[in-house]
Amino acid sequence: MKYVAKAGCRIVGLLVFWILGTVGVLNAANAFNTDSLLRVLDDIVAGRTSIEADKRLSITLSRHKLAMAESDSAIFLALGEMFNQYRKYKLDSALYYARQRVAVAERMGNRDSLSLAMMNEADGMKGLGRFMAGLSILHNLPNDQYVRNSNYYYYLLHSITLSIYKEYSDVEEGEYYQKLLHSYRDTTLNINGNDKVGNVVNLGELLKENGKNEEALKVLTDFLQTNASDVENNATFWCTLSGIYRLTGDYEAGKYCLAKAAIIDKRNCVKTYTSLQDLALLLNEEGDSERAYKYITCAMEDIMSSNARSRLMQVSQYMPIILDAYAQMKERERKLRILFDVVVAVLLLCLAFIMIKLHKRNRKLSEMRLSLDAKNKELTMLNENLSIANNRLGESNRIKETYIAHLFKICTEYIDDMDKFRISLARKLKSGQLADIKAVVTRPVAEEALKGFLRKFDKIFLELFPTFVEDFNQLLQPGAEIVPKEAGTLNTELRIYALVRLGINDSTKIASFLHYSPQTVYNYRNKVRSRAVVGKDKFVEAVQNL
């Protein structure tokens, strides 16, 4: 059942292929989809081993039938099946089974069976190139009217005579054989009976021999359009149609028909064909040397496998032409490959040069980028420093404006106080109040003035930096905070670092401003620094940043 299913799939595939393929066969070359057909043939040629495996399986089944046959008539039929299996596949085996069939027919004593077996033997002789022996067998057939009028008989007469004509005849014999071939074909045409395809092929060949190529083409194409299913598996029809197309100058259509015939032959595992080698020669003339070489190699392998000596000489004539073209093509490919390699090598060198240049440029760009990054960072730092400086300058200006304003106010108040003091002294002097004048002059005014000045300093500074005390204590260790006795005032430690915050870091200047000795200022500063949460070296900077 497995083999039956496989065979059924093949048959369905063939039907679909031919139904689709025969639709496009018209007279114009552009109606032929030859490229797609050649791709189908390429696949078949590449996968021919699987087709041959199916053929060997079919032969095995036929051999099994022969082994199971018991009567002479059954054996005769089984031998006929074996002959047909090998007839276009392995010709020496076909001749062997034909001779076995002759022996059985002689044993049976049936003249028709003997005539058929002898024609099989002549057929086998023809395939092996033994034309004269085959012709002799045909001439020795029993003088039976039925045999003499059979299509198979005249087919053999014609094909053997044609082979002799092509292989052995000289110019003088050519006219004789030409007339003989014409006679055989004419007779075949008359006795072909219901073989419609055989009739139209013979008629086409006859018209072609008479030089009526256009008429022959019309006969075959008209038949194809109305009887496509009858020729779907007939390689002879397509070969004949191809030859006529080529005679009329339509080589594209001829190539298409040869591809059709070659597909039929290869799918049916026929090895005694002419289609594939003719197609190879045509493709070689068109410049498709690689495909031509592949096809002619396949054809030669099939001829050697089938032992078809009658085809060997014909293919041997094609082989040198195609091999030479194939060798030239390979040489061109080799030169192109060398040129391609040289071009690729040059391009690679150019690419390497460009890559090196790009690498150097990228490296320079990278260095420039790093330099720019460094400069950008430096510029950013400078901008930050400038911003800080601007902020400090703004703050310094603000401090200056505030202190100048207060200075003017203090000076004005001091002038007013001095004027009031002068007026008071003048009055006392005029009144003779010398004791009061003495008391006023001997009173310690500087100490009171300093206290007043420090209170004003505290007030002004806390107006400028209202959170100074809290921020300053954040710099000291827990429990070491400095808290003034009165709100809105500073003590000595805070005043010293208030001056530091204002930018006065010199202890001598601070001592002069506060009316302390430099050592006293130094001691106060040291005492506070020892309680700082930051390092002693960073404490002054931290205070200046409050």
Side-chain angles (χ1 to χ4, degrees), residues 515-534:
H515 289 267
Y516 293 132
S517 69
Q519 184 63 41
T520 302
V521 172
Y522 176 78
N523 291 337
Y524 275 119
R525 292 183 70 172
N526 239 7
K527 178 181 177 183
V528 173
R529 272 203 309 267
S530 65
R531 295 178 289 174
V533 293
V534 296

Side-chain angles (χ1 to χ4, degrees), residues 188-218:
T188 305
L189 188 62
N190 291 328
I191 65 173
N192 235 353
N194 295 325
D195 186 1
K196 294 188 296 183
V197 179
N199 280 335
V200 77
V201 168
N202 278 325
L203 180 56
E205 290 286 356
L206 192 60
L207 291 169
K208 184 179 72 172
E209 289 171 10
N210 291 328
K212 300 177 181 180
N213 297 326
E214 296 293 340
E215 188 177 344
L217 181 61
K218 186 176 186 309

Side-chain angles (χ1 to χ4, degrees), residues 443-505:
R443 191 176 58 193
V445 178
E447 184 176 350
E448 291 180 3
L450 179 61
K451 289 180 181 179
F453 172 75
L454 291 177
R455 281 195 299 273
K456 289 181 179 180
F457 172 80
D458 294 346
K459 180 182 178 183
I460 295 168
F461 182 82
L462 291 175
E463 285 179 3
L464 290 171
F465 305 99
T467 62
F468 175 77
V469 176
E470 291 81 359
D471 294 339
F472 183 80
N473 284 326
Q474 292 292 324
L475 300 177
L476 301 178
Q477 296 173 359
E481 294 88 350
I482 301 173
V483 180
K485 293 180 180 179
E486 296 180 15
T489 62
L490 302 174
N491 59 16
T492 303
E493 291 96 333
L494 291 173
R495 284 193 193 102
I496 290 171
Y497 281 101
L499 291 170
V500 172
R501 174 64 185 85
L502 292 173
I504 304 171
N505 192 36

Side-chain angles (χ1 to χ4, degrees), residues 250-268:
D250 194 344
Y251 289 96
E252 185 65 24
K255 182 169 66 173
Y256 178 88
C257 295
L258 276 177
K260 283 266 193 182
I263 288 172
I264 295 169
D265 286 331
K266 292 304 297 177
R267 280 184 169 164
N268 290 324

Side-chain angles (χ1 to χ4, degrees), residues 378-391:
E378 184 178 349
L379 184 61
T380 302
M381 189 177 296
L382 288 173
N383 286 333
E384 290 176 355
N385 292 336
L386 182 60
S387 178
I388 293 170
N390 286 333
N391 291 335

Side-chain angles (χ1 to χ4, degrees), residues 118-138:
M118 291 176 69
M119 284 190 286
N120 290 160
E121 185 179 6
D123 200 349
M125 290 291 187
K126 174 185 73 75
L128 291 171
R130 297 166 64 180
F131 306 121
M132 292 301 182
L135 199 59
S136 175
I137 291 172
L138 291 178

Side-chain angles (χ1 to χ4, degrees), residues 419-450:
D419 191 50
K420 289 178 182 178
F421 182 69
R422 181 187 62 80
I423 293 171
S424 175
L425 286 176
R427 284 176 182 173
K428 290 182 183 297
L429 183 63
K430 187 177 180 180
S431 301
Q433 298 175 358
L434 295 176
D436 292 339
I437 292 172
K438 183 178 179 181
V440 170
V441 172
T442 58
R443 191 176 58 193
V445 178
E447 184 176 350
E448 291 180 3
L450 179 61

